[in-house]
Amino acid sequence: MGLRQRRATLVRHIPGGPDGRRMLAVAFIDKTGTGLWATAAALYFTHVTGMSIAQVGVLLGVSGAIGIAGAPLAGRLADRFPLTRVLIAAQLLRAAALFALLTTHDHALLLAFSALGSLPDRASNVLTKLYAARVAGPHRARYQAINRTVANLGWAVGGLAAAAALAAATTTAYQALLIGNTLSYVVIAALTLRCAEPPAPSRVVADSTTPAGTGPAGPWRDRTFLLYTATEAVLFLDDAILQVGMPLWIVHATEAPVGLAPLLLVLNSVLVVLFQVPLARFGATPKAARSLLLPLAGACAVGTLAMAVSATGGRWPAIAALTLAAVALTFAEMIHATASWELSVALAPARAQGAYLGVHGLAAATQRSAGPLVVTAVIAAGPLAWPVLGAGLVATCFAQRRLVRDRLPAGALSVPPVTVSEHQ
């Protein structure tokens, strides 16, 4: 089979039809733009607008905390209005808020614009996940895996472009990266406009699994789902460990070279690109997704123990232990992404799918704010704190496994067939 035929075969096997492929393009462009700006944001605020490091910390912390509200708000709106229109509005608001940063050096306005942009930023994560659940239907586990792979490729492309631009370290370079990210939001809004509106179970049919007048009135009164979301916030800590904890640990607690930190992040992206899609088949049903919580616990244990061991030897033992930690925690990230994706949809009643997934989005948003604080506290406590954190992650895996046991549907599908796009 030639390269062109192989590519055509791969494209045909992407769930969701043409709209699914367009949304993958949206994910790639979105993350490429984010990769451009994420590295440069703190430098822009310090070198271009004249903010101090403390002021930048306040700006990022406050805007991140405000952004937490974006996830549940997006879910509620998606149950009441056409999903594509809500997503387009979020993308355009992201563009407007980011571009507004160019218009002022006033610290109060910069904080206001950053906070305004963080709301649709967090909302977009929930909305794209909800779109995938509706357009890909029973193939959503594979689709989400492909989406994460494409997103990681976008991050890599954006990060490489940013590194080249930042070598100049000029105001023009920082502004160019900001404008590049702004344009990416405009482009994905235009692409989303071409996507058909997928069937929304909350507006098409009542939830056939829950008799009228019974069951929780919504996610905020659903104790099981709220507890599940709380356990999710803990399990999302792998992100903070990899992105924040590992670089700081390398510098302050090991004899490994500082240059190892970016190499391990590259390794993380490569592993996700190679293995996220193959791993998806192990979480294609609610029962299978629940079973993944056991290997997830093992990966968390290995990763955190390796972090502790890395501080006990010389240069090469530290490099070996940190590489093992990065590999284990990356597999934990991929396994959790697969299980979390399927279980969150399985636990959400069709009549309020958007609202439930919006509340679930609070887990990742909360981790972005609290995760760095937890990880830096572990680093300050020393090597023995890593196994303690690992034990907490393992306990959370087992607690979540028991928590969801009686709420998962018995059949292979966790959503009614109405969520399948007409393209399927």
Side-chain angles (χ1 to χ4, degrees):
M1 182 182 292
L3 181 61
R4 183 174 298 179
Q5 290 175 304
R6 195 177 307 162
R7 180 179 177 276
T9 301
L10 177 62
V11 169
R12 282 197 301 269
H13 283 82
I14 293 177
D19 290 332
R21 293 193 288 273
R22 288 192 191 98
M23 200 54 68
L24 290 178
V26 166
F28 177 79
I29 296 170
D30 185 0
K31 295 307 179 184
T32 299
T34 303
L36 288 174
W37 175 241
T39 307
L43 297 174
Y44 175 87
F45 289 125
T46 54
H47 293 295
V48 178
T49 69
M51 298 180 75
S52 67
I53 293 177
Q55 288 172 324
V56 173
V58 171
L59 180 145
L60 296 177
V62 172
S63 60
I66 293 174
I68 291 175
L73 177 62
R76 294 285 294 182
L77 291 174
D79 278 338
R80 299 186 179 189
F81 303 100
L83 175 57
T84 52
R85 299 300 180 263
V86 178
L87 185 52
I88 290 168
Q91 291 159 347
L92 292 177
L93 183 56
R94 292 167 84 188
L98 184 61
F99 188 77
L101 296 177
L102 289 173
T103 66
T104 182
H105 287 183
D106 181 82
H107 297 168
L109 286 176
L110 290 171
L111 174 59
F113 292 145
S114 296
L116 179 64
S118 68
L119 284 167
D121 187 66
R122 299 294 183 265
S124 294
N125 293 331
V126 171
L127 295 170
T128 51
K129 177 179 178 179
L130 187 57
Y131 190 94
R134 292 177 180 176
V135 78
H139 307 291
R140 61 174 176 267
R142 175 176 171 79
Y143 183 88
Q144 181 68 358
I146 296 172
N147 185 76
R148 291 197 79 239
T149 302
V150 168
N152 270 268
L153 288 172
W155 265 105
V157 171
L160 290 173
L166 289 174
T170 63
T171 296
T172 302
Y174 295 130
Q175 291 173 336
L177 293 174
L178 186 153
I179 292 171
N181 193 17
T182 301
L183 291 176
S184 74
Y185 294 150
V186 176
V187 171
I188 62 177
L191 280 175
T192 306
L193 189 62
R194 297 184 59 197
C195 293
E197 178 69 17
S202 60
R203 296 196 301 271
V204 176
V205 68
D207 183 7
S208 60
T209 63
T210 306
T214 67
W220 296 108
R221 296 186 181 183
D222 188 336
R223 182 173 177 272
T224 297
F225 194 82
L226 290 177
L227 288 173
Y228 167 73
T229 300
T231 61
E232 285 285 270
V234 176
L235 296 181
F236 273 118
L237 280 173
D238 56 66
D239 180 68
I241 296 173
L242 285 165
Q243 301 292 330
V244 179
M246 190 163 288
L248 291 176
W249 187 249
I250 288 172
V251 172
H252 295 289
T254 78
E255 296 182 27
V258 176
L260 181 64
L263 293 179
L264 292 180
L265 292 179
V266 171
L267 176 62
N268 169 265
S269 295
V270 170
L271 290 175
V272 171
V273 169
L274 291 176
F275 294 106
Q276 185 68 74
V277 174
L279 281 172
R281 70 177 184 270
F282 296 106
T285 66
K287 182 179 179 181
R290 178 174 175 265
S291 297
L292 285 177
L293 293 171
L294 295 179
L296 174 59
C300 290
V302 171
T304 50
L305 284 172
M307 290 288 284
V309 170
S310 68
T312 62
R315 178 185 178 94
W316 289 107
I319 292 174
L322 288 164
T323 302
L324 174 60
V327 171
L329 291 169
T330 298
F331 272 90
E333 174 192 347
M334 292 187 288
I335 293 169
H336 179 235
T338 300
S340 173
W341 165 244
E342 180 64 23
L343 291 176
S344 61
V345 177
L347 293 171
R351 58 182 164 75
Q353 193 180 65
Y356 270 73
L357 293 184
V359 170
H360 179 261
L362 287 173
T366 301
Q367 189 280 142
R368 287 190 185 97
S369 295
L373 298 176
V374 173
V375 170
T376 51
V378 169
I379 293 173
L384 290 180
W386 286 112
V388 173
L389 177 61
L393 293 171
V394 169
T396 302
C397 289
F398 280 94
Q400 186 179 108
R401 190 168 183 269
R402 177 165 183 166
L403 181 68
V404 304
R405 178 182 59 192
D406 298 329
R407 276 282 296 270
L408 297 179
L413 293 179
S414 59
V415 288
V418 70
T419 62
V420 182
S421 169
E422 59 191 3
H423 294 296
Q424 293 295 315

